[in-house]
Amino acid sequence: MMELYLDLISSPCRAVFLFAKALGIPFEFKYVDLIAGQQYSSEFGKLNIVAKIPVMKDGGFTLSESAAILKYLVQKYSGSVADHWFPAGLQQRARANEYLSWQHANLRAHCQKVFLLRVRFPVIMGFEVPEETMDAALENMKQSLNLLEEKFLQNKQLILGDKISVADVVAVVEIMQPPGTGVDGFEGRPKLIAWRGRVKEELGEELFDDAHKALMQLSGLPQKLKSSSEFEKFKLRFQRFFN
Amino acid sequence: MMELYLDLMSPPCRSVFLFARALRIPFEFKVVDLATGQQYSKEFGDISIVRKVPVMKDGSFILTESTAILEYLVQKYSGSVADHWFPADLQQRARVNEYLSWQHMNLRAHCSKVFLLRALYQIVMDSEIPKETMDFAVENVKQSLNLLEEKFLQGKPFILGDKISVADVVAIVEIMQPFGTGFDGFEGRPKLIVWRDRVKKELGEKLFEEAHEALMKSSNMPQKLKNSGNFAQLKPILQKFFR
């Protein structure tokens, strides 16, 4: 059976998890504990030298990168995955690709930064986040949310129009990340709240909440991080990420 | 005729330019001069609210994001674009998608950062580049190039195997970027140099040189930027990048 290496505190892992579950695609959930640094183990390194998740293993074929995994699943299960998830039409396909490309360095990067600053910075760096740094991160997140609304959603129900697609799934999990630390990206954005409601309904409310449970329960994080044998690796990567 | 809004100083513009020209896809080249801030003009804002290049305008259909544009061109011109550029096969397609996804926050981000630090930091931040910042940036490029060699190329002639694909084009233009400031990413990497020469040959050496001419002659770019009427406006936007 296909294996998905996941930790649901990671947004791209949630996107893949939600899609596979919602579409009834069978898989074995292989847990990779990010906070314990399991991604740096030599065992996991054999699976993915990049030391990141999600990773998919389908027989002898191993694949990283959530967008690539989602597109692989759509193509492999084309018989049972409705076209609207990743439309074949030239322009609609382009719009899905446009979103999936843009989000890496924008919504994903900015929501991830806010999350990491709040949750990891003090533990790893040993001092509080400078106010200027936090303000800049929140401003970037705001700009990305503005573009999500003004460019990608506009007045449509969902990113591609009337029907849900992988773009909506990939988007929503990113905006859910900062709320794991008490920063609500949806606050003051009724259009986004309505859109999120639609996405939840299409995927299944129980499934959506299930996928986000681990993220919402991150309270033991600082201690766990600090006592991890991979702490120095975290610190170095963190510093490189923020430089 | 299809329009491509480009500045060949920008790597994603070069990948679209190289692909379209190599595949003889007809287009009108619309210059957007990044060094003078043309992307912030009202006219360009009407074309793309994101204010970045490249942008494609095919009839009334406007599309941003180089990887989305490349896939659109492959799909639209499927009759004349050979399969190896973006294979239809499940696993090969997944490998291209994997590269195109990974590169955003890795090779692209890191090569761009080195270029921008060396080209712009001084005039935008009114101070020397902090040594630690530059060291981290160079180390990040090194890590990305290591992964390009160890995960994506692995001794194959091209990323997907025996034939060139859009992944190779997207990769190579990023490594070329720091050259614009005298930083040679290929130095000490004979395998990458051989790969680069193969890619150049497939695309056409003259075309490749033409695409990179502006970049190679850009030593006066910081001055040009400083002297442009928009510098006062652009400075705070550029400073955000370095924070």
Side-chain angles (χ1 to χ4, degrees):
Chain A
M1 184 179 280
M2 175 177 80
E3 296 171 347
L4 289 177
Y5 290 76
L6 309 169
D7 182 334
L8 295 182
I9 65 167
S10 143
S11 30
C13 285
R14 289 197 301 276
V16 171
F17 174 83
L18 282 166
F19 182 75
K21 281 276 189 174
L23 277 293
I25 293 169
F27 67 91
E28 196 183 327
F29 190 122
K30 307 283 268 183
Y31 179 49
V32 179
D33 189 345
L34 290 180
I35 298 165
Q38 216 186 324
Q39 68 278 33
Y40 301 123
S41 70
S42 62
E43 222 184 292
F44 189 77
K46 290 191 194 116
L47 196 62
N48 182 19
I49 193 181
V50 182
K52 291 197 174 181
I53 50 175
V55 173
M56 176 201 85
K57 193 167 183 291
D58 193 11
F61 186 67
T62 302
L63 184 66
S64 64
E65 295 296 315
S66 61
I69 296 170
L70 287 167
K71 292 177 180 185
Y72 177 94
L73 294 177
V74 166
Q75 191 176 341
K76 181 174 180 181
Y77 293 94
S78 59
S80 55
V81 173
D83 178 73
H84 63 78
W85 286 101
F86 189 54
L90 180 66
Q91 291 188 3
Q92 286 288 76
R93 171 66 55 102
R95 287 278 170 247
N97 284 332
E98 186 185 37
Y99 184 77
L100 293 176
S101 173
W102 172 86
Q103 58 93 31
H104 284 279
N106 293 279
L107 193 65
R108 165 152 180 70
H110 299 148
C111 288
Q112 187 188 26
K113 188 155 189 174
V114 167
F115 174 78
L116 289 175
L117 283 175
R118 284 179 70 97
V119 153
R120 292 207 176 194
F121 191 101
V123 181
I124 289 184
M125 303 299 276
F127 55 89
E128 289 301 308
V129 184
E131 202 182 320
E132 200 188 60
T133 306
M134 195 68 214
D135 285 347
L138 287 170
E139 179 60 29
N140 281 337
M141 191 175 102
K142 180 179 160 198
Q143 296 300 332
S144 283
L145 290 169
N146 288 349
L147 277 171
L148 173 63
E149 290 198 56
E150 291 162 30
K151 175 179 169 67
F152 294 101
L153 265 172
Q154 294 177 30
N155 292 314
K156 296 174 272 135
Q157 298 289 295
L158 296 144
I159 291 174
L160 292 196
D162 293 326
K163 298 216 163 153
I164 193 171
S165 69
V166 293
D168 300 288
V169 185
V170 166
V172 83
V173 293
E174 295 301 342
I175 315 174
M176 292 300 292
Q177 198 72 5
T181 69
V183 173
D184 188 355
F186 293 98
E187 197 179 323
R189 295 180 184 266
K191 226 165 72 162
L192 278 192
I193 291 172
W195 163 76
R196 177 186 59 186
R198 269 176 233 121
V199 176
K200 274 180 95 162
E201 208 194 313
E202 286 300 314
L203 291 170
E205 304 235 7
E206 221 188 288
L207 172 62
F208 190 89
D209 290 339
D210 249 3
H212 288 88
K213 213 159 85 180
L215 178 67
M216 296 306 172
Q217 289 172 356
L218 273 180
S219 52
L221 175 58
Q223 262 328 104
K224 196 176 174 191
L225 244 186
K226 244 184 164 150
S227 55
S228 156
S229 55
E230 302 292 353
F231 187 72
E232 286 310 310
K233 270 208 183 103
F234 284 135
K235 190 166 183 177
L236 188 61
R237 284 208 172 203
F238 202 81
Q239 286 170 328
R240 279 174 47 200
F241 181 78
F242 282 105
N243 262 274
Chain B
M1 183 178 282
M2 175 177 81
E3 296 171 347
L4 290 177
Y5 290 77
L6 309 171
D7 182 336
L8 295 181
M9 285 292 298
S10 144
C13 286
R14 289 197 298 273
S15 62
V16 171
F17 173 82
L18 282 165
F19 183 75
R21 286 282 297 269
L23 279 292
R24 306 199 197 298
I25 292 167
F27 67 91
E28 197 185 328
F29 191 126
K30 308 282 269 181
V31 177
V32 180
D33 191 350
L34 298 178
T36 59
Q38 206 187 329
Q39 69 276 38
Y40 298 112
S41 71
K42 183 186 178 301
E43 292 86 8
F44 190 72
D46 289 339
I47 301 225
S48 172
I49 191 182
V50 185
R51 297 183 176 282
K52 292 198 175 181
V53 282
V55 179
M56 178 201 84
K57 192 167 180 293
D58 194 12
S60 58
F61 185 66
I62 295 177
L63 184 65
T64 65
E65 294 297 315
S66 63
T67 56
I69 295 169
L70 287 167
E71 293 185 39
Y72 177 93
L73 294 178
V74 166
Q75 192 175 341
K76 182 173 178 181
Y77 293 93
S78 58
S80 55
V81 173
D83 177 73
H84 63 78
W85 286 103
F86 191 59
D89 169 76
L90 180 67
Q91 290 188 5
Q92 286 286 74
R93 171 68 56 101
R95 287 279 170 247
V96 193
N97 285 333
E98 186 185 38
Y99 183 77
L100 295 180
S101 173
W102 173 84
Q103 59 94 27
H104 284 279
M105 296 307 287
N106 293 278
L107 195 65
R108 168 154 177 68
H110 298 149
C111 290
S112 269
K113 185 136 198 189
V114 166
F115 171 77
L116 288 171
L117 280 171
R118 288 168 71 107
L120 295 182
Y121 191 95
Q122 242 177 336
I123 61 158
V124 166
M125 303 299 276
D126 297 313
S127 69
E128 295 293 313
I129 310 171
K131 185 177 184 299
E132 201 185 54
T133 304
M134 197 65 214
D135 286 347
F136 271 123
V138 170
E139 180 60 27
N140 281 338
V141 168
K142 182 179 158 197
Q143 296 298 333
S144 283
L145 289 172
N146 287 348
L147 280 170
L148 173 63
E149 289 198 59
E150 291 162 32
K151 176 179 171 67
F152 295 101
L153 270 170
Q154 290 182 27
K156 294 176 268 126
F158 297 99
I159 290 173
L160 291 197
D162 292 328
K163 299 220 163 148
I164 192 172
S165 70
V166 294
D168 301 285
V169 185
V170 166
I172 202 165
V173 293
E174 296 299 344
I175 312 172
M176 293 300 293
Q177 193 69 6
F179 268 106
T181 62
F183 179 96
D184 183 355
F186 293 103
E187 195 177 325
R189 293 179 186 267
K191 266 179 14 182
L192 273 193
I193 289 172
V194 172
W195 165 77
R196 177 195 64 193
D197 293 342
R198 259 183 232 119
V199 177
K200 276 174 97 163
K201 192 164 167 230
E202 286 299 311
L203 290 170
E205 304 233 10
K206 225 173 119 186
L207 173 63
F208 191 89
E209 306 296 333
E210 190 190 329
H212 288 88
E213 204 185 324
L215 177 69
M216 292 312 188
K217 291 182 179 165
S218 64
S219 53
N220 69 334
M221 192 261 280
Q223 261 327 106
K224 191 180 172 192
L225 177 63
K226 210 170 178 181
N227 297 339
S228 89
N230 291 323
F231 187 61
Q233 210 190 339
L234 293 175
K235 204 170 172 183
I237 298 172
L238 293 167
Q239 281 174 343
K240 269 177 66 179
F241 181 79
F242 293 119
R243 291 236 164 84

